[in-house]
Amino acid sequence: MRNLLEFLAKYNHWLLFVFLEVISVVLLFQYNSYQGSVWFSSSNAVAGKIYEWNSAVESFFSLTRVNEKLTLRNFYLERQVDQLRRLYAEKTRDTTVIERNELRFLNEYRLVPAKVVSNSVNRADNLITINKGRTDGVEVDMGVACGTGIVGIVYLVSDHYSVVMPVLNVKSRISCAIRHRGYFGYLQWTGGDPAVAYVEDIPRHARFKRGDWVETSGYSSIFPPGVSVGKIVEVYNSRDGLSYRLKVQLSTDFGCLRDVCVINDKGIAERTRLLQAAVDSLKLNVK
C-alpha cells in the first residue's frame, strides 16, 4: 500500500492528465455528431476485423475435427460404393435379398477415429502410433484404414495409445484381390519407395491388366472386402515362374498421414476363434 501511495504521489500530474484527456475525448464524441459518427464507424470496423480474426482462428482449430469426420465419411462412402458395385454386377439376381445381406454386412463393424501421433516411412520396420487404445475399443489385429485406403494392422495396444504395423513394414502381409477379377494374393512391401508395394502369388491363369485396382479380399479376419490398396503399374513373373508379381502404386500417402480409423469388426473374435479351432484340430490329427 505504501508503494502504491508513493507511486500516485510521484506521478499524480500524469495521472491527472490522462484522466482529463479521457473525459475530453468522451465529451467530444458524445456531444458532436460528426465525431460520434467517425468513432462509431471506426469502432465497428475494428470490431469487425477482430471478429474476422477470431472466426479464422476458430476455423483453423476446427479443421482437426473436420478432417476426422471427412476421413470417416470417405471410408463409409468407399464401402457403400463397393457394395453398390457388387449389387449392380449381380442385378439379374434377387436384389432385395442381396441388399439385405449387404446392409447386414455393413452393420457388422464400426469405425474408431484416431490421430497419427508418430510415423516413419524410411525404415524397413516402420511403425505408426495412434492416439486411441484399449479404452476406446481398439484391440490387437484390428485393421486400420484412412479415407484413401488401407494403412495397416494394430500390433500393440495400451490403454490410450496403439502401435500399428503399416503396409510399409517388411513383416506386413495383407490378403488382397484384383477388383472385379477375383484373383487374390498377399500384399508385401520390400523397402525403398514408400509409394509402392507388391502383390505376390497371383496365379498364372489370372486375367487382368495394368491400371486395374487392388483391394482387400475379405478372406482374412482383419479387413472387410473392398478397401482400396492401390493401382497395378507393372506385372512381373515370380522367382519360381509359377505366379505373377504385381507392382502396385499405393492409394495411401503415408508421408502425410494424419487421420485414420480403426475397423472394429464385431465378428472378428468369432472368426478368429473358429480359425484357431481349425488349426488346433489339424495339429491333433497330424499327431
Side-chain angles (χ1 to χ4, degrees):
M1 180 60 70
R2 180 179 178 182
N3 291 334
L4 177 60
L5 293 176
E6 289 180 354
F7 175 82
L8 294 176
K10 183 176 181 180
Y11 297 102
N12 63 85
H13 52 286
W14 285 107
L15 295 175
L16 179 61
F17 172 75
V18 171
F19 177 72
L20 294 175
E21 283 292 322
V22 170
I23 292 178
S24 61
V25 168
V26 171
L27 293 175
L28 175 66
F29 288 106
Q30 185 174 358
Y31 294 102
N32 293 275
S33 58
Y34 175 74
Q35 286 81 356
S37 63
V38 171
W39 167 257
F40 182 76
S41 301
S42 302
S43 62
N44 279 348
V46 172
K49 183 60 68 174
I50 292 174
Y51 287 136
E52 182 180 342
W53 291 341
N54 182 65
S55 177
V57 170
E58 289 180 352
S59 298
F60 175 79
F61 284 106
S62 67
L63 287 177
T64 298
R65 183 59 180 168
V66 171
N67 286 336
E68 181 180 290
K69 289 182 178 180
L70 286 176
T71 298
L72 296 180
R73 185 59 180 166
N74 196 22
F75 185 85
Y76 273 123
L77 289 175
E78 287 284 345
R79 298 297 308 120
Q80 290 174 356
V81 168
D82 180 70
Q83 303 310 318
L84 290 173
R85 188 186 300 116
R86 295 171 191 271
L87 290 175
Y88 181 77
E90 300 177 10
K91 63 179 181 296
T92 57
R93 297 173 56 184
D94 185 356
T95 57
T96 59
V97 174
I98 299 174
E99 183 177 1
R100 288 197 299 271
N101 291 336
E102 298 294 354
L103 290 176
R104 189 180 304 114
F105 169 79
L106 285 173
N107 290 328
E108 286 181 353
Y109 66 90
R110 70 181 182 88
L111 302 180
V112 180
K115 293 288 182 183
V116 174
V117 296
S118 70
N119 184 18
S120 63
V121 297
N122 57 356
R123 302 169 57 183
D125 56 348
N126 294 302
L127 294 173
I128 297 173
T129 303
I130 60 177
N131 66 344
K132 293 296 175 66
R134 192 176 296 109
T135 58
D136 305 292
V138 179
E139 299 177 6
V140 173
D141 288 338
M142 285 185 173
V144 181
C146 65
T148 56
I150 193 171
V151 173
I153 301 172
V154 176
Y155 181 62
L156 292 173
V157 176
S158 66
D159 287 341
H160 303 291
Y161 294 92
S162 299
V163 176
V164 177
M165 179 185 292
V167 171
L168 303 186
N169 188 303
V170 294
K171 298 179 181 178
S172 174
R173 301 286 191 280
I174 297 174
S175 177
C176 56
I178 302 175
R179 183 175 292 172
H180 303 317
R181 308 289 184 175
Y183 304 106
F184 62 91
Y186 67 91
L187 183 70
Q188 181 181 19
W189 185 65
T190 58
D193 190 350
V196 171
Y198 295 87
V199 178
E200 310 284 354
D201 289 349
I202 296 295
R204 296 288 296 183
H205 63 271
R207 294 291 180 266
F208 57 88
K209 63 182 183 298
R210 282 185 292 182
D212 283 351
W213 280 89
V214 176
E215 61 188 14
T216 55
S217 64
Y219 294 148
S220 71
S221 59
I222 297 175
F223 287 99
V227 181
S228 179
V229 171
K231 184 182 293 185
I232 300 173
V233 292
E234 293 291 343
V235 180
Y236 308 100
N237 289 320
S238 62
R239 292 180 181 178
D240 57 13
L242 300 178
S243 60
Y244 288 122
R245 185 172 190 250
L246 311 182
K247 183 178 181 181
V248 176
Q249 183 79 28
L250 296 173
S251 59
T252 299
D253 187 352
F254 287 87
C256 61
L257 195 61
R258 296 293 181 271
D259 295 276
V260 298
C261 51
V262 181
I263 304 171
N264 188 342
D265 191 340
K266 300 174 184 177
I268 187 173
E270 181 180 354
R271 294 198 299 271
T272 302
R273 286 195 300 269
L274 182 62
L275 180 60
Q276 187 61 47
V279 172
D280 294 341
S281 177
L282 289 174
K283 289 180 179 178
L284 290 174
N285 291 334
V286 170
K287 292 179 180 180

